[in-house]
Amino acid sequence: MYPERLTKSIQAVEAAREKNIAYEPARMTAQQKEELLKAYHPDYKVEEFEELKIGQNKGQKVPKELCAILQAHSRIKADDVDLTKPDYDVDVLIIGGGGAGSSAAIEAHQAGADVMIVTKLRIGDANTMMAEGGIQAADKPNDSPATHFVDAFGGGHFAAKRELLSKLVCDAPEAIQWLSELGVEFDKDADGNMITTHGGGTSRKRMHAAKDYSGAEIMRTLRDEVLNRNIPVVDFTAAIELIKDDKGQIAGAVLMNMETKELLVARAKTVIIATGGAGRMHYQGFPTSNHYGATADGLVLGYRAGAQLLYAETLQYHPTGAAYPEQIFGALVTEKVRSLGAKLVNANGEVFMHPLETRDVAAASIIRECNDRNNGVETGSGLGVWLDTPMIEKIGGEGTIEKRIPAMMRMFGKYGIDIRKEPIIVYPTLHYQNGGLDITPDGMTTNVKNLYVAGEAVGGIHGRNRLMGNSLLDIIVFGRGAGKSAAAQCKNVTLGKLNLDHVAEFEKEIDKAGIKTDLVSPKLLPDYTNKK
Amino acid sequence: MENMVNIFLFGKKYEVPDNLTIMRAMEYAGYQLVRGCGCRNGFCGACATIYRIKGDRELKSCLACQTKVEDNMYIATLPFFPLVKQVYDIEKVKPTEQIMMQLYPEIYACIGCNACTKSCTQELNVMQYIAYAQRGEYEKCAEESFDCVMCGVCSARCPAGISHPQVAMLARRLNGKYLAPKCDHLEDRVREINDGTFKELIEDLMQKPIDQIKELYNTREIEK
Ligand SMILES: Cc1cc2nc3c(=O)[nH]c(=O)nc-3n(C[C@H](O)[C@H](O)[C@H](O)COP(=O)(O)OP(=O)(O)OC[C@H]3O[C@@H](n4cnc5c(N)ncnc54)[C@H](O)[C@@H]3O)c2cc1C
Ligand code: SF4
Ligand code: SF4
Ligand code: FES
């Protein structure tokens, strides 16, 4: 239910609907996009970034909030734990129970390794569970991994590490096959052909989906498989520091029970960081689409242990976060809404851009429409633009919305908005961490031995921006890869004496660099309690 | 001006703005959540909650992240419910009726009280999907249960001790793996990749100067 003051604007949208459906707005030229991004994309706001004074990426700029936690104090001192008496002792320790961590666990287990998952909330309480739109793979006859490569490379501003990207696109069809064989229900026609759509920035329709519960369907299946294999999952337990041995290789992690705060030691021959994203850091004060535990912990753990970051300064603001009603502010409106034909329309009922530009371009364009051109819709708690969902029913026929995007229909339906009949209001929301820890194609960090990373905590697979559907893909491809590599690698590892010297070392550096801070990290959870 | 309402968290009274979800209201009241909060957006099922409005007899269930507070709402979260999850080998099971009898025989003890359906936080027809599971109609069970977030509320209400979301999970995997039509173009593509069909194309892209790839990208043909 919209407040009355929006009626005029809604009427304008309705009046122009037929015309807007027929209208095919031009896509922007490379130069137009560049100018738009520079002027309006949050990544280009210099004052929101700060230079790192210590660590592998010293001298580089990252978001202020990230800089603060990367250079914060450890939650522990060496003598808080007894490293000689580990509570757990495994071949492969996986930190994070999302899609990447679960895929890694299944493959490492399949390879015969002794594996364990620790996760901050429950397994599956993760960004993976929330992915709606779908997963890319070039498996149709008119498509090829090379085409997929070009789309993703261009979409990421030609900055991806090519050896990572080529693995992503070449292993994609097999990833879909693997998921299908685990029982993931992809949308198919009666002959078994995948029903695929475009996503922003794709040149072929290669987005596979399971309605708009794509991530949930993948995540719950992976979780079920982890449990079927009796892989130990230690939940409500966060990794708060990595452990090394006297040979300088990774040797485990210090864990903390999230409820009792008890500290535990996990000794491991290989560690896989699969801690996901950073939306709950609320960079630049943006709302977020991410789950409760998305606080960049993996980057902090890795950075302190000497690993290198790549593109940590690039974030993805999803163009269509819900801007109304207040209760779902920042929640994601899947890109599939636009794939199915809904266009972005300003307060006057005008289509102001092609609906399927890449995310960064679309976000910048919405920000410009609202903040510069004054064509935004005033929601009462901010600005937004219309996303004209009823177009979908007109284009695809009645019932398309219920069939293809039921989660969206439900989310707005709860607040009295029938998206089949009424448009919705959107504004960019902090969505995805493009950058992260730097890895080689086998998943190992470039400079810390036996430390692997998979999923959203990795940087470099996509470059400086990621296309929709390539993240669910990367967590499967690189999650599986890291699991296999770590399981193979642990056969060659003999651990020496465990220590936390790198933590003490890092504290000294903080001091030397003159950084004054009371902050401790990793952050673990945001604090939303009302401070009175 | 915010309108305030009274709510009772585990019996204790708090005054909170009326436009908050139950989850936000708990935080407003000062709770730092650990358990009972996952996706914050209706997908993970971590935040199952029961409530009763004062004067009303009915005990209702909901997801705390998806439900607005109301005046005189008595709230208790149900962040963990001990469901039964049977383990099985997906490669070895068959999509026949036997498998349910073997793993979840209690579904045949359903007394048709419909409490599960009435309590479902996703408004699913839970009793119906259990009926499909009983009959080995896994495709229908999968479809009917698809939006299940596995919050466990239905199971908390079931006099027959059924773990509905786990039954549905099994049905969906059986359907996805064994019953859904096979995808030929996917199998073909995997084979082509293994045969090295795209090797040269990819190797070429690995070497290509950035300018040439930019040209390729900016002039690529986009499928209608
Ligand atoms: C709303 C939404 C919609 C999306 N839609 C799509 C889409 O349609 N297509 C697509 O490709 N991508 C999509 N994405 C992106 C994609 O879902 C994620 O990038 C991806 O799932 C991340 O997977 P992950 O396994 O790396 O991280 P996650 O799934 O987030 O898992 C990380 C896990 O690690 C745990 N953890 C974190 N820190 C610690 C710690 N210190 N100790 C222990 N455990 C820890 C977390 O609690 C969590 O369980 C979407 C993301 C969101 C948020
Ligand atoms: S079926 Fe049961 S577990 Fe699934 S959403 Fe409904 S109440 Fe929750
Ligand atoms: S609550 Fe249990 S017994 Fe009652 S209808 Fe549902 S499954 Fe059957
Ligand atoms: S927190 Fe995930 S459903 Fe409510």
Side-chain angles (χ1 to χ4, degrees):
Chain A
M1 288 249 285
Y2 289 108
E4 247 187 57
R5 57 193 160 73
L6 293 179
T7 312
K8 227 179 97 203
S9 184
I10 294 179
Q11 282 165 350
V13 174
E14 282 170 352
R17 188 164 293 141
E18 289 297 337
K19 189 181 78 196
N20 283 342
I21 289 175
Y23 173 57
E24 174 85 10
R27 289 188 190 249
M28 286 179 227
T29 63
Q31 198 194 341
Q32 283 172 328
K33 287 188 215 173
E34 215 178 291
E35 286 167 10
L36 176 71
L37 289 175
K38 286 224 171 86
Y40 297 98
H41 195 279
D43 276 359
Y44 293 83
K45 275 196 164 173
V46 260
E47 69 277 15
E48 295 289 346
F49 292 79
E50 204 167 307
E51 193 177 299
L52 286 163
K53 292 193 187 135
I54 51 175
Q56 287 290 322
N57 295 72
K58 187 168 158 176
Q60 290 175 21
K61 288 198 163 179
V62 295
K64 276 188 203 157
E65 301 84 347
L66 178 62
C67 189
I69 58 163
L70 285 174
Q71 303 186 147
H73 300 290
S74 174
R75 288 177 171 267
I76 49 163
K77 303 242 163 352
D79 51 8
D80 291 344
V81 287
D82 183 354
L83 299 178
T84 63
K85 294 201 186 76
D87 300 273
Y88 305 98
D89 198 353
V90 293
D91 293 337
V92 183
L93 172 68
I94 296 170
I95 306 175
S102 302
S103 304
I106 293 168
E107 288 292 1
H109 181 264
Q110 183 68 25
D114 179 11
V115 14
M116 175 174 112
I117 299 177
V118 294
T119 194
K120 195 158 63 174
L121 300 164
R122 307 174 310 168
I123 179 173
D125 294 349
N127 281 0
T128 306
M129 193 61 104
M130 310 176 75
E132 297 160 16
I135 175 167
Q136 288 199 39
D139 61 6
K140 289 274 174 91
N142 72 345
D143 201 357
S144 88
T147 313
H148 190 175
F149 184 108
V150 173
D151 286 354
F153 199 55
H157 304 294
F158 310 96
K161 281 175 88 171
R162 294 193 211 190
E163 64 275 26
L164 300 183
L165 183 54
S166 74
K167 181 175 166 67
L168 181 79
V169 298
C170 292
D171 289 0
E174 205 210 321
I176 301 290
Q177 197 175 47
W178 184 70
L179 291 171
S180 293
E181 277 169 18
L182 284 171
V184 169
E185 304 191 282
F186 288 107
D187 296 344
K188 291 179 182 171
D189 68 16
D191 299 324
N193 299 312
M194 295 286 178
I195 299 174
T196 52
T197 52
H198 270 302
T202 55
S203 70
R204 294 290 181 278
K205 293 182 178 170
R206 73 168 77 86
M207 193 71 58
H208 303 59
K211 305 196 182 175
D212 59 350
Y213 284 97
S214 304
E217 170 63 2
I218 290 172
M219 186 67 240
R220 65 198 180 189
T221 304
L222 294 174
R223 174 174 60 195
D224 197 57
E225 184 62 18
V226 165
L227 299 177
N228 275 352
R229 288 168 178 264
N230 288 314
I231 296 170
V233 180
V234 184
D235 60 5
F236 293 104
T237 300
I240 58 166
E241 217 60 80
L242 294 169
I243 301 171
K244 289 186 170 181
D245 74 358
D246 47 12
K247 301 174 196 165
Q249 53 191 2
I250 264 325
V254 178
L255 314 177
M256 187 181 84
N257 180 322
M258 293 290 287
E259 293 179 309
T260 64
K261 310 289 179 222
E262 182 191 9
L263 296 179
L264 299 156
V265 173
R267 195 176 105 114
K269 292 180 180 147
T270 54
V271 173
I272 303 177
I273 292 180
T275 49
R280 296 281 156 192
M281 296 296 299
H282 295 293
Y283 298 135
Q284 303 189 27
F286 271 87
T288 184
S289 62
N290 286 192
H291 87 290
Y292 191 39
T295 48
D297 297 359
L299 307 199
V300 171
L301 298 179
Y303 199 66
R304 227 174 252 158
Q308 195 159 321
L309 297 169
L310 187 59
Y311 304 137
E313 72 283 15
T314 63
L315 277 303
Q316 183 170 83
Y317 296 84
H318 195 292
T320 60
Y324 186 89
E326 173 80 23
Q327 290 86 357
I328 51 172
F329 189 58
L332 186 71
V333 173
T334 171
E335 191 164 312
K336 209 160 139 201
V337 174
R338 282 174 290 143
S339 304
L340 291 173
K343 292 194 174 105
L344 291 159
V345 179
N346 67 21
N348 316 321
E350 298 150 353
V351 171
F352 59 91
M353 62 170 288
H354 192 287
L356 291 178
E357 295 285 5
T358 52
R359 287 184 174 168
D360 47 357
V361 171
S365 166
I366 294 172
I367 294 174
R368 175 175 66 186
E369 201 65 17
C370 292
N371 301 342
D372 191 35
R373 295 182 172 169
N374 287 324
N375 289 330
V377 186
E378 177 55 66
T379 66
S381 49
L383 291 166
V385 295
W386 295 108
L387 179 56
D388 197 12
T389 45
M391 287 184 174
I392 298 174
E393 299 274 289
K394 294 231 151 136
I395 297 167
E398 241 171 74
T400 310
I401 287 185
E402 186 168 11
K403 194 160 171 44
R404 302 291 292 282
I405 46 172
M408 281 297 103
M409 199 173 113
R410 170 172 286 127
M411 180 163 105
F412 285 91
K414 285 207 162 130
Y415 302 100
I417 296 168
D418 183 347
I419 69 170
R420 296 170 298 189
K421 304 205 177 85
E422 298 163 290
I424 57 183
I425 311 177
V426 295
Y427 193 79
T429 186
L430 178 55
H431 185 57
Y432 183 78
Q433 167 178 279
N434 293 314
L437 296 160
D438 194 4
I439 58 167
T440 49
D442 65 353
M444 204 192 284
T445 47
T446 46
N447 55 353
V448 181
K449 201 168 168 214
N450 303 337
L451 177 61
Y452 293 77
V453 192
E456 199 170 330
V458 176
I461 302 172
H462 311 280
R464 305 180 69 86
N465 177 48
R466 167 194 65 105
L467 300 189
M468 165 193 180
N470 275 348
S471 172
L472 278 181
L473 176 61
D474 97 48
I475 66 174
I476 305 301
V477 167
F478 286 88
R480 294 179 69 197
K484 288 183 201 171
S485 312
Q489 175 69 3
C490 67
K491 299 197 180 108
N492 313 320
V493 178
T494 16
L495 290 176
K497 196 162 170 277
L498 273 52
N499 67 61
L500 285 169
D501 294 355
H502 65 281
V503 176
E505 210 50 49
F506 202 82
E507 289 290 341
K508 272 191 217 148
E509 286 215 34
I510 293 177
D511 202 38
K512 254 202 307 206
I515 299 164
K516 298 266 176 291
T517 176
D518 295 331
L519 263 189
V520 292
S521 63
K523 190 177 169 84
L524 305 180
L525 291 175
D527 183 357
Y528 294 140
T529 55
N530 195 24
K531 297 281 179 287
K532 289 182 188 136
Chain B
M1 227 335 252
E2 281 173 333
N3 282 326
M4 303 298 277
V5 291
N6 287 324
I7 59 167
F8 299 82
L9 298 173
F10 308 100
K12 185 165 169 53
K13 185 167 151 188
Y14 295 92
E15 204 185 28
V16 303
D18 71 349
N19 64 348
L20 300 183
T21 58
I22 293 176
M23 180 170 283
R24 290 285 301 117
M26 289 183 77
E27 291 171 335
Y28 182 91
Y31 281 81
Q32 164 82 52
L33 301 175
V34 175
R35 227 169 245 277
C37 179
C39 66
R40 302 181 72 98
N41 198 22
F43 286 96
C44 75
C47 61
T49 295
I50 49 177
Y51 67 91
R52 190 199 300 278
I53 306 295
K54 196 172 178 176
D56 194 347
R57 217 163 273 173
E58 199 185 348
L59 194 56
K60 294 199 173 127
S61 39
C62 68
L63 297 175
C65 68
Q66 297 291 294
T67 310
K68 257 209 268 193
V69 290
E70 291 174 45
D71 202 20
N72 286 322
M73 195 182 215
Y74 286 85
I75 297 164
T77 58
L78 201 70
F80 176 79
F81 184 80
L83 295 172
V84 177
K85 147 83 189 130
Q86 300 293 359
V87 302
Y88 56 90
D89 182 342
I90 188 71
E91 295 301 328
K92 296 204 179 114
V93 292
K94 298 259 144 34
T96 59
E97 257 175 80
Q98 267 70 32
I99 188 68
M100 281 294 167
M101 285 184 201
Q102 194 187 319
L103 294 176
Y104 295 107
E106 63 276 12
I107 63 174
Y108 297 96
C110 165
I111 57 165
C113 67
N114 212 27
C116 48
T117 303
K118 272 193 240 151
S119 68
C120 179
T121 58
Q122 293 282 88
E123 290 163 13
L124 302 179
N125 193 340
V126 189
M127 185 169 88
Q128 182 63 59
Y129 83 57
I130 291 297
Y132 288 137
Q134 287 171 342
R135 285 183 242 139
E137 294 177 316
Y138 299 131
E139 193 190 332
K140 286 188 184 154
C141 179
E143 180 67 26
E144 196 75 46
S145 70
F146 194 80
D147 297 3
C148 170
V149 295
M150 305 187 80
C151 65
V153 163
C154 51
S155 307
R157 293 295 187 85
C158 178
I162 296 168
S163 287
H164 315 67
Q166 297 297 358
V167 171
M169 186 71 236
L170 173 59
R172 282 193 304 271
R173 288 188 71 182
L174 290 172
N175 187 48
K177 182 173 173 67
Y178 294 107
L179 302 173
K182 286 271 160 285
C183 178
D184 295 332
H185 64 80
L186 177 61
E187 280 173 24
D188 292 346
R189 182 52 48 82
V190 172
R191 194 172 335 107
E192 284 168 357
I193 288 174
N194 292 338
D195 292 347
T197 313
F198 304 100
K199 204 159 163 261
E200 258 173 59
L201 275 174
I202 293 285
E203 270 166 12
D204 177 51
L205 286 170
M206 296 291 289
Q207 315 296 336
K208 235 189 195 34
I210 295 275
D211 280 349
Q212 288 179 28
I213 306 195
K214 276 194 181 163
E215 182 62 24
L216 264 183
Y217 179 73
N218 290 329
T219 57
R220 80 211 146 118
E221 175 210 333
I222 296 181
E223 181 182 1
K224 276 281 173 213

